[in-house]
């Protein structure tokens, strides 16, 4: 909206410049303003192009991102975790297979969450894009023959997203029980991790060598440093687990 307002102001300035009469006579002077008028027209035209190009790039970029997001989501939802579980029903799964199933479920859950986030914003974004098309005739001139009309492009992308959203809802219903089960496992895993961290903190505070005595031998000093190194290694391990649980 601010860009549209600025472009309108610049076009009004352009109109006002075009109304300047040249030459202008002041008493005995005759002033030729044609070069000045031409320079002003060029300068204003450049600024109009800056604003319109930004909006055009914003429009095309947003449309491209939506298309890519829809395509990426559809690719990520090709395999329904429920179908995999049905095929494996009755089989004794290895830990590797269980982890593969878990990764598939988590990946699908991630796509579901992303679609929910985009859905909450998409109507506002697309309405703004349509407003840009209506207010900027330049958008139409940037579409070459064979490309869809800008408004048609928006409608098509929106329709494709809605189809993906329907697919997401269907898969979500299919895997609801799996999501609940996985949530329970995640909570248990996090609770266990929290207990490990608490135990580590307690042990760290009580066992870490805080003092130094001049009478300590080199071997005793080295053993203290080894304790510190061991705790540092454990701490790094906890940080690695925390990143995996995130």
């Amino acid at each position: 909206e601010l860009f549209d307002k600025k472009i309108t102001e610049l076009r009004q300035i352009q109109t006002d410049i075009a109304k300047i009469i040249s030459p202008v006579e002041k008493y005995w002077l005759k002033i030729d303003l044609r070069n000045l008028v031409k320079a002003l027209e060029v300068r204003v035209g450049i600024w109009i192009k800056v604003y319109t190009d930004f909006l055009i790039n914003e429009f095309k970029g947003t449309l491209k991102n939506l298309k890519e997001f829809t395509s990426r989501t559809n690719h990520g939802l090709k395999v329904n975790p429920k179908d995999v579980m049905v095929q494996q029903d009755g089989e004794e799964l290895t830990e590797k297979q269980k982890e593969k199933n878990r990764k598939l479920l988590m990946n699908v859950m991630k796509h579901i969450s992303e679609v929910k986030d985009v859905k909450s914003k998409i109507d506002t974004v697309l309405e703004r894009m349509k407003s840009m098309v209506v207010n900027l005739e330049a958008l139409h001139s940037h579409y070459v023959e064979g490309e869809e009309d800008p408004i048609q492009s928006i409608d098509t992308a929106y329709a494709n997203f809605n189809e993906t959203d329907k697919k997401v809802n269907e898969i979500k219903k299919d895997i609801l029980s799996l999501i609940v089960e996985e949530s329970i496992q995640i909570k248990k895993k996090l609770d266990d991790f929290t207990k490990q961290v608490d135990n580590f903190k307690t042990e760290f505070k009580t066992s870490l060598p805080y003092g130094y005595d001049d009478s300590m031998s080199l071997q005793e000093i080295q053993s203290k440093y080894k304790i510190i190194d061991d705790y540092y290694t454990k701490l790094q391990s906890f940080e690695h687990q925390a990143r995996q649980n995130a």
Side-chain angles (χ1 to χ4, degrees), residues 3-246:
F3 277 83
D4 292 342
K5 183 179 179 182
K6 189 65 180 178
I7 292 169
T8 300
E9 289 177 1
L10 288 169
R11 282 177 175 162
Q12 182 57 52
I13 292 173
Q14 208 173 34
T15 300
D16 293 340
I17 292 172
K19 292 178 182 178
I20 295 176
I21 299 173
S22 181
V24 176
E25 294 185 5
K26 290 291 183 179
Y27 303 108
W28 64 89
L29 294 176
K30 189 181 226 183
I31 305 170
D32 188 349
L33 299 176
R34 285 176 296 179
N35 289 338
L36 175 62
V37 170
K38 185 176 180 180
L40 289 173
E41 286 177 339
V42 169
R43 177 59 59 182
V44 174
I46 289 172
W47 276 107
I48 290 175
K49 189 175 186 306
V50 168
Y51 282 99
T52 54
D53 282 355
F54 177 87
L55 290 178
I56 290 166
N57 291 333
E58 179 76 4
F59 172 87
K60 289 193 171 185
T62 303
L63 188 62
K64 178 174 177 286
N65 289 341
L66 178 58
K67 288 179 178 180
E68 289 179 350
F69 173 80
T70 303
S71 175
R72 186 172 66 250
T73 303
N74 286 334
H75 180 75
L77 299 177
K78 276 185 176 181
V79 180
N80 187 330
K82 183 183 177 182
D83 296 338
V84 174
M85 298 297 287
V86 169
Q87 290 174 3
Q88 295 173 340
D89 189 32
E91 296 181 18
E92 187 173 344
L93 302 180
T94 63
E95 288 301 319
K96 187 176 181 180
Q97 288 174 316
K98 289 179 182 178
E99 181 60 22
K100 185 178 179 181
N101 290 347
R102 180 181 174 277
K103 285 183 178 179
L104 172 62
L105 178 62
M106 295 300 291
N107 184 57
V108 170
M109 288 171 63
K110 178 185 175 185
H111 285 300
I112 291 173
S113 177
E114 289 176 346
V115 168
K116 181 181 178 182
D117 183 53
V118 172
K119 188 178 180 180
S120 68
K121 304 170 184 174
I122 192 169
D123 288 334
T124 302
V125 172
L126 294 185
E127 281 303 316
R128 180 167 61 85
M129 290 173 67
K130 285 187 177 182
S131 175
M132 287 164 54
V133 174
V134 171
N135 292 325
L136 291 173
E137 301 88 350
L139 273 174
H140 293 279
S141 67
H142 278 256
Y143 271 75
V144 298
E145 187 177 350
E147 284 192 275
E148 279 187 306
D149 176 79
I151 295 291
Q152 183 60 46
S153 295
I154 296 171
D155 291 339
T156 301
Y158 190 38
N160 290 338
F161 174 80
N162 282 332
E163 285 300 314
T164 300
D165 183 43
K166 289 178 184 177
K167 184 189 297 184
V168 163
N169 289 329
E170 291 171 2
I171 292 178
K172 188 176 178 181
K173 290 176 184 176
D174 287 343
I175 65 173
L176 187 58
S177 61
L178 298 177
I179 292 175
V180 172
E181 184 180 341
E182 182 63 23
S183 298
I184 293 172
Q185 293 300 320
I186 290 174
K187 185 178 184 305
K188 183 178 181 301
K189 188 176 180 180
L190 290 176
D191 289 342
D192 291 342
F193 179 70
T194 301
K195 288 178 183 178
Q196 291 178 40
V197 172
D198 289 339
N199 292 336
F200 172 79
K201 285 165 60 180
T202 302
E203 182 187 339
F204 181 83
K205 290 177 181 178
T206 56
S207 303
L208 190 69
Y210 292 101
Y212 169 76
D213 192 328
D214 289 338
S215 64
M216 292 172 64
S217 67
L218 178 60
Q219 186 176 0
E220 288 176 317
I221 293 173
Q222 288 176 336
S223 68
K224 301 296 183 184
Y225 273 113
K226 186 177 185 310
I227 291 173
I228 295 173
D229 288 340
D230 289 343
Y231 277 119
Y232 178 70
T233 301
K234 288 180 182 178
L235 182 60
Q236 285 184 312
S237 175
F238 280 122
E239 289 177 346
H240 177 69
Q241 289 182 59
R243 284 193 292 271
Q244 286 186 320
N245 293 335

